[in-house]
Amino acid sequence: VKMYEKLWRETFGVDGDLGEVPSDAGGLVIPKQPERTIVAIRIIGSGEEIEVNDTFVCKVMQGTRLNPIVLDSVHAEDVSRGEGGAVYEFKVHAAVQGNFSVHIKKPKNCCKQIKYCDFWDNTAFMPEIVDSVVSYEKDQLDIKKKIRKKIAPGMRLEVEFLNEK
């Protein structure tokens, strides 16, 4: 929803109620959606109640919710501890353009997984990339209520991109 709001407000210059814009409004061109390469995803400050480990799986997908294409799927590799708690890293390699998503799941048992968190974004509307990283705070992630209660308030997901300058 935030991406569409940004598209209509900033790109198309629509003020007021978006419901008032006619569906056949002409001259509206989608901005260029740059290609970016994701090289790592990190869970930072998840808290003590949920221990992320190498059984967690991270999938990077492109497309839409109804027709996603899996670009990469990896297990957590590096775990380090610092002042802010544990940092869990998934080393991925996925070239994304347009709509993409990151899904992190944990195993429930031998046959079932539980969603830890996920988000969708678009390369044309991403937050600013600072030092090759985009941070998504806990409130920007889709997390089930039962899991959200167990995750520390300062938890965030960092997505590192290949420095393509």
Side-chain angles (χ1 to χ4, degrees):
V1 172
K2 291 177 185 176
M3 289 185 289
Y4 291 110
E5 177 86 12
K6 191 171 182 178
L7 174 68
W8 283 97
R9 301 279 183 219
E10 296 177 15
T11 305
F12 300 151
V14 174
D15 292 328
D17 186 0
L18 295 178
E20 300 294 320
V21 179
S23 61
D24 60 350
L28 305 177
V29 179
I30 301 286
K32 183 178 188 280
Q33 299 176 75
E35 183 174 299
R36 305 270 188 235
T37 302
I38 300 173
V39 293
I41 294 164
R42 288 181 282 280
I43 300 172
I44 299 174
S46 61
E48 300 301 320
E49 284 199 53
I50 296 181
E51 183 179 339
V52 180
N53 55 43
D54 63 0
T55 63
F56 274 57
V57 176
C58 176
K59 286 185 182 180
V60 178
M61 295 184 270
Q62 179 149 349
T64 65
R65 276 199 188 275
L66 298 177
N67 194 17
I69 299 165
V70 177
L71 301 175
D72 203 355
S73 180
V74 298
H75 289 272
E77 287 186 23
D78 292 337
V79 179
S80 59
R81 299 207 178 269
E83 287 180 26
V87 175
Y88 304 94
E89 184 170 69
F90 302 88
K91 294 183 179 180
V92 300
H93 190 274
V96 295
Q97 183 175 22
N99 292 335
F100 72 95
S101 67
V102 171
H103 295 251
I104 298 175
K105 294 183 177 186
K106 66 180 195 148
K108 181 175 183 177
N109 55 38
C110 68
C111 306
K112 197 169 189 180
Q113 292 184 329
I114 299 171
K115 179 174 83 170
Y116 179 74
C117 69
D118 69 36
F119 73 89
W120 281 87
D121 210 338
N122 185 294
T123 57
F125 305 108
M126 287 189 322
E128 182 181 357
I129 298 175
V130 178
D131 294 328
S132 302
V133 172
V134 174
S135 287
Y136 295 89
E137 303 298 322
K138 180 179 173 181
D139 65 340
Q140 296 174 296
L141 302 171
D142 186 10
I143 305 171
K144 291 194 179 244
K145 189 185 282 186
K146 196 167 150 182
I147 304 249
R148 183 176 288 277
K149 287 188 239 177
K150 296 178 180 180
I151 296 174
M155 177 267 195
R156 71 182 187 277
L157 210 62
E158 284 188 352
V159 179
E160 183 178 343
F161 292 89
L162 188 64
N163 191 351
E164 298 165 340
K165 288 185 177 182

